[in-house]
Amino acid sequence: MSELIEALREELPADAVLTDPDVTRSYAHDMASFCEAGTPAAVVLPRTVDQVRHVMRTATALRVPVVPQGARTGLSGAANAGEGCVVLSLVRMDRILEIDPVNRTAVVEPGVVNAVLSRAVNEYGLSYPPDPSSWEECTIGGNIGTGSGGLCCVKYGVTAEYVLGLDVVLPDGRLMSTGRSTAKGVAGYDLTRLFVGAEGSLGIVVRAVLALKPVPPQQLALAAEFPSTDAACEAVCRIMESGHVPSLLELMDNTTLRAVNDLTKMGLPDTTEALLLAAFDTADPAADLAAVGALCAAAGASEVVPAEGHAESELLLQARRSALVALEAVTGTTMIDDVCVPRSKLADLLKGTAAIAEKHGLTIGVCAHAGDGNTHPTVCFDPTDEEESRHARESFDEIMALGLELGGTITGEHGVGILKKEWLARELGPVNVEMQRGIKQVFDPLGLLNPGKLF
Ligand SMILES: Cc1cc2nc3c(=O)[nH]c(=O)nc-3n(C[C@H](O)[C@H](O)[C@H](O)COP(=O)(O)OP(=O)(O)OC[C@H]3O[C@@H](n4cnc5c(N)ncnc54)[C@H](O)[C@@H]3O)c2cc1C
């Protein structure tokens, strides 16, 4: 047995240290399966903070890299193993430690699944708003690692806005608390926020204090069909400009609609060029939908169909949630862009993306959290075809370049990982990169935490 495995097992039960290569290989990568990944020396599944501290102390003593993992639903290779690393999977630390209705907070371990937390707090009349489409699988630790968003973020904001405090194990095994449990607090630098979106590169989140909201009224949705993506994006601008606050404002282009229909047989209108879904969870959602429906019609919608009730609204959401999986089914592999632009530039991004798809002869479907300007142009390709893979990568990059040109960012919610790391420096510029490297050096001087990601 290697020194590493022996040392890990000193304070971990046998079933918490996996070394069979057939098993460890299955932890090698997240959902960006085409990104490079190595075989871990071990996969460790701790249940306690002390066990995590032991793993980090051992890794530091033996200078072995550690890759933290949640549910591996990430889309940028940020949870991918490096050759010979320790994969530190937090999925067994899945307890909800406290739900506090007075303070409207929850205290959770990192392996709690997003939807499990949502349902649990619902019992108290509370909600945890960040709702990635992967919510039935992804973990709170992974959501914090990526700073994830979701469908209702247009009204309720993203993960960063709900993380009040953290317990974090540093690479040398020290345990640090950041932030607060209170509604307000400005003591010192905001290290809590620093960990949100850090992609496991600064420390291991072992406990999180999360803010909750009262459960809003059930939302009602409408679907608006448009003869062009331009018209749909114009409707998005009109809705936002008019002061409406939808609880959801999502767009699917024709390619995506066809893919969703192929997969789910839902019968979405797939001859239309773009479908906009808008929802309201206000006191009078029907009135808000009528006003937004009129704005859609004025922007050129050919059809505006309000859902008949909550069940039909939920069905429309399900259709949107299945978009990425549906596009993946087109060729088996996708490269998913995550470019976020100012809403006013959404139409330019979609038009540019269509031109890039045509130039490279590829299928690129776009679904978008349109109200946030956050688009997911999804490049469908066959990874066994070298030429097609090259075109896929080129088109993926060209979409990011276009996003930056339009004043946007290369990633609104999926993170940088391996997939976009060449692009991070382009977006940040040399001074910002230097400061970020300095921060990394302070937290992880030996560079053992999730190396090869971000920079
Ligand atoms: C079908 C589908 C739909 C999706 N829809 C959305 C969406 O709408 N919005 C969105 O934002 N994302 C979406 N995603 C992407 C993904 O689900 C999110 O990025 C999610 O937050 C990842 O959570 P995870 O538990 O799978 O984390 P992982 O993929 O395992 O890890 C993600 C990152 O967090 C780090 N990490 C994990 N746990 C810890 C920890 N305890 N401490 C420190 N670092 C940690 C990892 O090292 C890695 O860098 C989607 C993915 C799929 C497959």
Side-chain angles (χ1 to χ4, degrees):
M1 201 192 311
S2 80
E3 191 184 2
L4 170 69
I5 307 302
E6 211 168 313
L8 287 170
R9 288 200 168 141
E10 272 170 25
E11 292 187 32
L12 285 157
D15 76 339
V17 184
L18 313 179
T19 55
D20 176 346
D22 286 339
V23 176
T24 59
R25 252 195 299 275
S26 68
Y27 287 80
H29 57 75
D30 65 12
M31 297 296 274
S33 53
F34 49 84
C35 283
E36 70 201 44
T39 304
V43 173
V44 181
L45 294 137
R47 288 192 191 275
T48 68
V49 175
D50 281 345
Q51 289 174 353
V52 174
R53 298 183 71 184
H54 170 66
V55 173
M56 295 315 301
R57 275 195 295 264
T58 304
T60 290
L62 300 177
R63 304 290 193 266
V64 179
V66 175
V67 177
Q69 284 185 352
R72 286 182 288 116
T73 66
L75 295 169
S76 66
N80 281 15
E83 192 62 32
C85 77
V86 169
V87 160
L88 180 53
S89 171
L90 284 307
V91 292
R92 288 186 186 167
M93 292 180 70
D94 62 352
R95 289 178 304 155
I96 298 174
L97 301 172
E98 186 183 307
I99 297 170
D100 180 339
V102 173
N103 293 305
R104 293 185 183 163
T105 53
V107 182
V108 302
E109 291 185 327
V112 172
V113 168
N114 182 300
V116 169
L117 175 65
S118 281
R119 286 194 275 267
V121 301
N122 280 175
E123 301 285 314
Y124 293 76
L126 295 166
S127 72
Y128 177 66
D131 63 339
S133 296
S134 54
W135 71 327
E136 292 285 2
E137 291 104 50
C138 66
T139 64
I140 296 297
N143 295 167
I144 293 170
T146 53
S148 68
L151 301 193
C152 73
C153 295
V154 61
K155 178 167 182 180
Y156 293 102
V158 294
T159 299
E161 282 145 78
Y162 292 88
V163 184
L164 299 179
L166 295 172
D167 282 358
V168 177
V169 175
L170 298 174
D172 59 9
R174 280 179 297 165
L175 181 64
M176 177 179 73
S177 292
T178 73
R180 57 199 161 90
S181 304
T182 50
K184 294 156 99 179
V186 290
Y189 293 134
D190 190 348
L191 296 188
T192 308
R193 194 93 180 203
L194 184 60
F195 277 92
V196 181
E199 302 188 10
S201 65
L202 301 177
I204 311 296
V205 173
V206 289
R207 179 178 164 277
V209 183
L210 304 171
L212 305 172
K213 297 264 186 211
V215 174
Q218 254 191 325
Q219 60 183 357
L220 263 188
L222 67 68
E225 298 174 35
F226 291 88
S228 68
T229 54
D230 258 9
C233 295
E234 175 61 21
V236 171
C237 292
R238 289 189 186 200
I239 292 166
M240 298 312 282
E241 188 182 39
S242 69
H244 286 288
V245 186
S247 50
L248 171 147
L249 191 52
E250 297 286 319
L251 181 149
M252 288 184 276
D253 74 354
N254 177 266
T255 304
T256 307
L257 290 169
R258 281 188 282 119
V260 172
N261 274 348
D262 285 348
L263 184 76
T264 66
K265 317 290 177 228
M266 269 181 162
L268 296 171
D270 65 8
T271 51
T272 194
E273 283 305 308
L275 190 75
L276 203 60
L277 303 180
F280 285 89
D281 58 5
T282 48
D284 189 357
D288 288 313
L289 285 179
V292 158
L295 291 172
C296 288
S302 52
E303 192 99 39
V304 177
V305 188
E308 298 227 319
H310 298 299
E312 207 174 290
S313 293
E314 189 48 38
L315 218 61
L316 286 171
L317 259 66
Q318 289 300 347
R320 168 59 188 88
R321 284 203 177 106
S322 62
L324 293 181
V325 177
L327 284 165
E328 191 171 10
V330 173
T331 52
T333 305
T334 51
M335 234 181 252
I336 304 170
D337 257 307
D338 178 34
V339 170
C340 188
V341 293
R343 290 173 201 117
S344 50
K345 302 287 183 191
L346 208 49
D348 294 331
L349 189 83
L350 265 60
K351 234 181 342 220
T353 298
I356 291 166
E358 195 177 330
K359 174 177 144 194
H360 290 279
L362 286 168
T363 298
I364 303 181
V366 183
C367 54
H369 308 299
D372 293 327
N374 189 186
T375 66
H376 298 313
T378 301
V379 185
C380 306
F381 70 105
D382 172 3
T384 63
D385 181 330
E386 243 176 66
E387 183 69 1
E388 195 168 296
S389 300
R390 186 175 60 76
H391 279 290
R393 181 70 224 198
E394 282 173 14
S395 56
F396 180 83
D397 288 348
E398 285 169 25
I399 293 167
M400 280 190 284
L402 176 61
L404 290 181
E405 236 171 76
L406 294 171
T409 170
I410 57 165
T411 176
E413 57 181 17
H414 293 168
V416 175
I418 296 173
L419 193 56
K420 290 161 235 161
K421 71 180 190 176
E422 286 90 25
W423 284 83
L424 184 65
R426 287 174 71 159
E427 176 167 335
L428 300 183
V431 180
N432 192 330
V433 168
E434 199 185 318
M435 299 312 277
Q436 299 220 10
R437 284 189 190 282
I439 291 168
K440 168 78 173 165
Q441 179 68 22
V442 168
F443 281 91
D444 182 20
L446 298 172
L448 295 177
L449 258 183
N450 214 2
K453 318 292 162 51
L454 283 169
F455 304 110

